[in-house]
Amino acid sequence: MKFSKKATLGLLFSLTLIVAGCGQKSASDANTASTGTSVPVETETAKLNVQVSFYPMYEFTKNVAGDLAEVHTLVPAGMEPHDWEPTPQDIASIEKADLLVYNGAGMESWMDQVTGSLSNASLIQVEASKGINLLEGGEHDHHHEDSEATEHDHDHDHANEATTEQHDHDHADEATAEEHDHDHDAEAEEGHDHDHGGLDPHVWLSPALAVKEVRNIEAGLAQASPEHAEQFKQNADAYIAQLESLDQDFKAAVTDSKRKDFITQHAAFGYLAKEYGLQQVPIAGLSPEQEPSAAQMASVIDFAKEHQVKTIFFETLVSSKVSETIASEVGAKTAVLNPIEGLTEEEIAEGMDYISVMRQNLEALKLALNE
C-alpha cells in the first residue's frame, strides 16, 4: 500500500478537528448543563492510550500495563497479520495514542511509512524486539544443517556493520554475527513482499525472548507514565515469572525426546527451535501466504519419508491444504502448532491467551518429538 503523506495528514487533521469538536463537552460541562452551575468534578487519573500492532504485543502490553492503560489491537481478531495494512481510521487511532507498541524486525511492513506521516510528536514508539539478535529467514530449516550461521544484530541506531557476539541461550556453539543495518525506508518500500527483509520476526515464540520483549514494553510504559514505573515493574515481574516457568517446561520436554526435528507450515519457529536445540523444517517461508514451489514440496516430502516424520504441523489462521497434502503423501497425521500471530474468535471465547496457547504448542511438540 502506498500512502500519500499529504493526503494522510489532511485526513488526520480533519479527523482531529471532528474529534475535538465532539469532545468539547467534558464532565464539568455536563454537570453545568444539569445544575445550572459549574461544580468541580473529581476525575480519576487518565489511563494511557496504547495502540499495539497485533496479538502477542497486546498480550505482553496488557499484562504489564494492568489497569493503568487502555490497550487496543490494530490487527483484528482472526486476521493473519503478515498481510494486514492499516485503514485511515487505524492511522487516526495511532495519532491519538500515548504509546505505540509493535514487534519490529520487519513484521509490520507498514510501520515506518505510517509513523512518518504522523503529527503526534509526543507519541512513544516501542519496538519490542529491539536489542534481540535476529535470525536470517530460513536459517534453521533443513537446508541449513551446519551449526554455524550468520545472524544479524537488531540495532536501530543504524550503526555501520560490525562483528557482534551471537546471542547464546546455553547452546554450546557460537557463530560470528554480522550487524544488520536496519534501513527503515527500504523496508517500507519492499515490505509488500512480506519476506521481512530476509529476517525472521517471530521472536515472541521463544519464551526466553518474549521476556526481553516484555522488558522493552515495560520501559516504554514507564517512559509514558513515570509515576507508575514501579507498578509496571511489578506487573512485568509477575508475568515474566510465567514465561520463565514456560521456558523451563519446554527445556524439560525436549531434553530426552526421541527426535529433534519437526515440520511446520511456515518458518515461524526458528527462535523456538534454536532455543531448545530443535530443527524446524518449514514447508513455506517466513510468511504463511507464501506458496511453496514444487521443489520445496518434494524436498519436504523426501525429508519426511527419510526421517519417518509422523506429524505435519499446520496453523489456525491460514489454509491447512499444503500441510494436509504432504501428510497424505507420506502417511502422516496433521496437528496444530500455533504461531500465535492472532487468536481466532473461538480461542478468544474459550479464554485462551499466549501462555495457554504456548502450552498447547508444548504438548503438541512433545507428542510429535516422541513418535
Side-chain angles (χ1 to χ4, degrees), residues 41 163 284 348-349:
V41 176
T163 300
I348 294 171

Side-chain angles (χ1 to χ4, degrees), residues 96-370:
K96 294 181 289 186
D98 300 304
L99 203 72
L100 172 63
V101 179
Y102 62 104
N103 182 77
M107 183 68 187
E108 301 90 348
S109 60
W110 45 268
M111 182 61 64
D112 290 327
Q113 195 164 10
V114 168
T115 56
S117 72
L118 301 177
S119 61
N120 181 0
S122 63
L123 176 68
I124 296 172
Q125 299 179 39
V126 178
E127 183 174 31
S129 65
K130 184 177 182 180
I132 294 175
N133 290 336
L134 299 179
L135 301 176
E136 288 279 8
E139 185 171 326
H140 288 274
D141 68 26
H142 69 286
H143 302 292
H144 299 271
E145 299 192 12
D146 193 339
S147 62
E148 292 186 355
T150 300
E151 187 170 85
H152 287 262
D153 182 19
H154 188 42
D155 188 351
H156 281 264
D157 60 7
H158 305 283
N160 292 327
E161 291 185 354
T163 300
T164 62
E165 180 178 349
Q166 183 181 14
H167 179 59
D168 185 356
H169 278 292
D170 298 324
H171 296 302
D173 293 335
E174 289 188 354
T176 300
E178 181 183 13
E179 186 174 15
H180 174 65
D181 181 6
H182 199 26
D183 189 329
H184 290 288
D185 291 334
E187 284 184 2
E189 286 296 317
E190 299 173 1
H192 294 285
D193 61 9
H194 302 288
D195 65 358
H196 310 290
L199 297 176
D200 184 350
H202 302 87
V203 294
W204 65 89
L205 288 168
S206 162
L209 297 183
V211 168
K212 292 190 173 187
E213 294 206 297
V214 169
R215 287 301 185 196
N216 284 337
I217 292 168
E218 176 201 341
L221 287 165
Q223 181 183 348
S225 184
E227 66 275 19
H228 295 119
E230 183 57 33
Q231 184 62 58
F232 295 141
K233 184 181 185 305
Q234 291 177 14
N235 293 346
D237 289 346
Y239 188 62
I240 284 171
Q242 296 183 59
L243 294 175
E244 290 174 341
S245 175
L246 181 65
D247 176 48
Q248 292 302 314
D249 290 344
F250 266 94
K251 288 178 180 177
V254 303
T255 298
D256 299 318
S257 61
K258 293 180 180 179
R259 62 189 311 128
K260 301 297 182 184
D261 50 61
F262 60 99
I263 296 178
T264 62
Q265 184 158 334
H266 89 286
F269 295 90
Y271 294 99
L272 183 145
K274 179 187 177 185
E275 190 68 40
Y276 305 115
L278 302 175
Q279 181 186 5
Q280 171 188 233
V281 183
I283 299 170
L286 290 174
S287 170
E289 299 300 330
Q290 287 180 319
E291 289 290 335
S293 66
Q296 287 174 311
M297 291 279 285
S299 178
V300 173
I301 288 170
D302 289 344
F303 181 94
K305 290 179 177 178
E306 179 183 350
H307 294 82
Q308 299 181 334
V309 176
K310 295 180 173 60
T311 299
I312 308 296
F313 286 114
F314 68 97
E315 53 199 65
T316 53
L317 296 182
V318 294
S319 171
S320 60
K321 182 178 180 180
V322 173
S323 294
E324 290 170 352
T325 298
I326 291 178
S328 176
E329 180 71 22
V330 303
K333 65 178 182 296
T334 58
V336 171
L337 196 64
N338 195 332
I340 324 182
E341 294 176 345
L343 296 183
T344 64
E345 294 290 353
E346 292 76 14
E347 288 169 334
I348 294 171
E350 293 171 5
M352 301 293 288
D353 58 18
Y354 173 88
I355 298 291
S356 60
V357 174
M358 281 298 289
R359 290 203 172 277
Q360 287 185 342
N361 284 344
L362 174 58
E363 293 305 312
L365 275 173
K366 284 168 64 175
L367 290 174
L369 295 176
N370 288 286

